[in-house]
């Protein structure tokens, strides 16, 4: 979990450095991914290993805006918070790559 937290902090630093140069829609999507990750982290910190179904649906929509295949993986992972956390990290990475391209 510490590795994931450090990774999240590094990504946040990258996000805030580039925030001024991004267009509005991408900025909102990045922020949504960041918020989604925070929510999953809070669940994990409170030893809740399953994401509630309503939250899964919202997280799926956010991830789908980046990559429909990742959204499918959210469906397949079920309520497993660790799996969903990894998928959100992948979505963040993909969004950063898309922005650089």
């Amino acid at each position: 979990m510490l590795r994931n937290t450090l990774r999240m902090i590094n990504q946040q630093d990258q996000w805030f450095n580039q925030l001024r140069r991004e267009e509005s829609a991408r900025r909102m999507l990045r922020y949504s991914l960041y918020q989604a990750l925070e929510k999953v982290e809070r669940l994990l910190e409170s030893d809740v290993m399953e994401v509630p179904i309503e939250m899964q649906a919202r997280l799926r929509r956010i991830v789908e805006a980046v990559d429909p295949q990742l959204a499918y993986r959210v469906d397949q992972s079920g309520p497993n918070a660790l799996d969903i956390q990894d998928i959100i990290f992948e979505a963040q990475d993909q969004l950063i790559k898309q922005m650089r391209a």
Side-chain angles (χ1 to χ4, degrees), residues 56 59-60 63 70-78 84 87:
Q56 283 178 18
L59 296 174
R60 186 194 189 287
V63 170
L70 287 177
Y72 176 75
R73 286 185 47 209
V74 170
D75 294 339
Q76 297 303 308
S77 72
I84 291 175
I87 294 167

Side-chain angles (χ1 to χ4, degrees), residues 57-70:
R58 185 173 189 290
L59 296 174
R60 186 194 189 287
R61 285 192 302 272
I62 293 167
V63 170
E64 186 174 34
V66 177
D67 185 346
Q69 289 182 343
L70 287 177

Side-chain angles (χ1 to χ4, degrees), residues 23-64:
E23 59 190 70
S24 173
R26 288 184 188 228
R27 188 175 14 205
M28 288 177 59
L29 182 54
R30 281 179 95 173
Y31 185 69
S32 295
L33 284 168
Y34 171 74
Q35 285 182 318
L37 189 58
E38 275 190 340
K39 289 178 182 180
V40 174
E41 288 279 335
R42 276 190 240 130
L43 289 174
L44 291 170
E45 287 172 359
S46 61
D47 293 327
V48 176
M49 299 305 289
E50 292 189 0
V51 177
I53 195 127
E54 309 85 34
M55 186 186 289
Q56 283 178 18
R58 185 173 189 290
L59 296 174
R60 186 194 189 287
R61 285 192 302 272
I62 293 167
V63 170
E64 186 174 34

Side-chain angles (χ1 to χ4, degrees), residues 82-99:
L82 290 173
D83 290 345
I84 291 175
Q85 180 187 40
D86 289 341
I87 294 167
I88 294 171
F89 278 130
E90 286 183 51
Q92 289 174 331
D93 290 342
Q94 284 190 15
L95 183 60
I96 289 170
K97 288 176 185 175
Q98 290 172 6
M99 291 170 43

